[in-house]
Amino acid sequence: MRQASERTRSVYANAASAQVLGVPAAQLVGAPLESYLDADDRMAAMTHWQRVIGLGAAPPVELRWWRPAGRPIWVEMRSAVLTQNGIRRVATALQDVTRRRAAEADLQQVRDELIGAIAAGPGVLYRLTRTEDHRWQPVLISANVERMTGFSVHEAAGPGWPHAAIAPEDVSRRWKALETALETGRAEVEYRLWTKDDRPLWVLDHLRRRDRADGSVELVGYLQDITEKWEGEQRLRHARQEIETLTNAGPGLLYRAEAGAAGDRRLLFVSDNAERVTGLPAAALLQPDWCNTECDSAVVAALAEALRFAIAGGSATLEFRFRDRAGEWRWVRDSLRVVGQEGDSYQLVGYWADITREKQQAMQLAEAGKLALLGEMA
């Protein structure tokens, strides 16, 4: 479409221009172009033409035009000055870009929703690129970094972050993870990160290598706050250590076992004081047939009967003896309880108390009683 410089009336329109605007070409000739432009874009069009007239050229612009059917379209305008017979005119080419604009709007909406979802998520997403001095520099970081760490996106994207905020003894561990991700494609590392208000966070950093189309390499990371999980694991670990200390220092042996309804059972766990209490190493007690090897047949039968009694009533207590590795008899009092059942399998917990000395003293008292009785009879 060609247009005079002093007014916005078309002096010529080809078929392509007419097709874009949805009107016959003859109808466009002499018509005021403002009637087709959206009211909010008319000033932008006039500015575009004035720049073309004044400078000879101007960047293309995309404006809203209205077709006679009342439907708006997006049109790209490219203009240049033409001089013919001393008359300067502006030649403007029109291209319908409505579909592209709609696709770009849809893409932008998806991007906005994705950015919003990431910002609302529990972890911080970021990208790192390697500088000429072989340092990793953040080039993108999600907005929720401020919610997690107190540092703004601008601060977090600055040089030295996050290493400046990582506990000094953990910095080398993260550097090693970065190099591992670069070499193998992925890595994970846990470290302490200090927030802007000096609170320590335990974070899990997931790192992945990304090879870009231009041949450059970057790392994509996802930072999770695992402070609550880490502290819970620490409390659990401490509790387990306390329990193990109390158990192993105690006079008896704790065990966990599984058993069948027929009275057979197998120890699955014994406390570390097993050898001190029983004279047998833990590995020997965890063998399926240890009792058949170390106990006599009467004890095996008594254990099976006690187990059936526990299954029926929930718990049982039995005293029995076995030979330790030194060949000496050991007496234990077995207190067991049924704590669960899966089909025909029962889960047991129990406690063995070493009552060898108690039995020996009882036998000595019994022997002394016999001797005293014989003395009286004499």
Side-chain angles (χ1 to χ4, degrees):
M1 176 183 291
R2 288 181 185 163
Q3 175 184 319
S5 60
E6 291 84 6
R7 55 185 180 176
T8 58
R9 292 183 182 273
S10 174
V11 297
Y12 169 77
N14 63 11
S17 299
Q19 184 179 6
V20 169
L21 297 181
V23 296
Q27 184 177 328
L28 287 174
V29 177
L33 297 181
E34 289 91 339
S35 61
Y36 297 100
L37 275 162
D38 187 89
D40 292 335
D41 290 347
R42 289 173 185 172
M43 183 58 68
M46 292 300 297
T47 301
H48 168 75
W49 285 320
Q50 288 170 0
R51 286 179 178 175
V52 172
I53 294 170
L55 301 175
V61 293
E62 295 181 3
L63 305 174
R64 287 163 294 180
W65 293 63
W66 287 82
R67 287 181 171 178
R71 183 167 60 88
I73 60 173
W74 280 95
V75 175
E76 181 187 76
M77 297 170 50
R78 291 178 178 268
S79 302
V81 174
L82 297 179
T83 303
Q84 186 177 15
N85 299 326
I87 300 175
R88 299 176 71 245
R89 292 187 174 91
V90 177
T92 299
L94 305 180
Q95 182 180 0
D96 187 348
V97 294
T98 306
R99 290 185 178 179
R100 176 174 62 78
R101 293 285 298 228
E104 290 175 349
D106 290 342
L107 180 59
Q108 186 61 47
Q109 182 179 358
V110 171
R111 286 175 176 169
D112 292 343
E113 290 178 355
L114 180 59
I115 291 173
I118 293 173
V124 174
L125 186 67
Y126 65 91
R127 286 171 44 215
L128 300 176
T129 186
R130 207 165 197 182
T131 60
E132 293 181 356
D133 58 354
H134 301 290
R135 292 182 177 274
W136 290 103
Q137 176 66 35
V139 293
L140 179 146
I141 191 162
S142 56
N144 57 350
V145 66
E146 187 165 5
R147 188 179 73 239
M148 179 186 292
T149 68
F151 293 98
S152 67
V153 172
H154 178 73
E155 292 170 323
W161 199 92
H163 284 106
I166 297 176
E169 56 269 34
D170 295 345
V171 171
S172 61
R173 192 159 65 245
R174 187 173 188 266
W175 275 117
K176 183 177 180 180
L178 291 173
E179 295 304 316
T180 299
L182 185 63
E183 294 173 4
T184 67
R186 61 177 56 198
E188 290 184 354
V189 60
E190 294 181 4
Y191 54 86
R192 284 164 296 175
L193 183 71
W194 290 91
T195 65
K196 192 172 183 178
D197 58 355
D198 292 329
R199 290 183 300 105
L201 294 180
W202 273 96
V203 296
L204 174 60
D205 204 349
H206 305 264
L207 296 163
R208 297 293 184 271
R209 170 178 169 149
R210 182 188 178 206
D211 297 311
R212 297 175 60 88
D214 61 3
S216 62
V217 176
E218 66 181 18
L219 295 179
V220 178
Y222 186 72
L223 207 61
Q224 287 181 279
D225 181 358
I226 60 168
T227 305
E228 185 175 344
K229 173 178 175 289
W230 188 87
E231 291 177 347
E233 290 175 347
Q234 286 294 103
R235 289 192 295 270
L236 179 60
R237 187 179 298 111
H238 179 73
R240 285 176 175 171
Q241 291 174 347
E242 290 291 331
I243 292 173
E244 289 177 1
T245 299
L246 293 173
T247 299
N248 298 332
L253 174 149
L254 285 173
Y255 70 85
R256 182 169 59 86
E258 64 178 4
D264 56 309
R265 70 171 162 178
R266 176 182 177 183
L267 298 178
L268 302 176
F269 164 83
V270 293
S271 52
D272 290 343
N273 60 351
E275 189 162 6
R276 177 169 57 81
V277 174
T278 68
L280 296 173
L285 293 172
L286 294 175
Q287 294 299 316
D289 60 346
W290 82 270
C291 192
N292 293 333
T293 303
E294 309 297 344
C295 306
D296 57 39
S297 57
V299 169
V300 173
L303 286 171
E305 181 62 27
L307 180 57
R308 287 191 290 270
F309 184 82
I311 291 174
S315 62
T317 300
L318 173 70
E319 295 178 358
F320 65 94
R321 68 175 186 173
F322 58 89
R323 289 191 182 275
D324 61 20
R325 288 297 168 88
E328 301 292 333
W329 286 107
R330 293 275 185 128
W331 279 91
V332 297
R333 180 178 294 113
D334 184 7
S335 302
L336 65 145
R337 182 179 297 276
V338 178
V339 294
Q341 177 182 0
E342 294 181 5
D344 293 333
S345 177
Y346 296 86
Q347 290 75 51
L348 312 173
V349 293
Y351 183 80
W352 285 357
D354 184 358
I355 58 171
T356 304
R357 181 173 297 180
E358 178 183 328
K359 285 291 186 179
Q360 290 173 344
Q361 291 175 346
M363 286 187 288
Q364 290 172 357
L365 288 174
E367 188 65 27
K370 289 180 182 179
L371 292 176
L373 181 60
L374 290 174
E376 293 177 359
M377 293 176 62

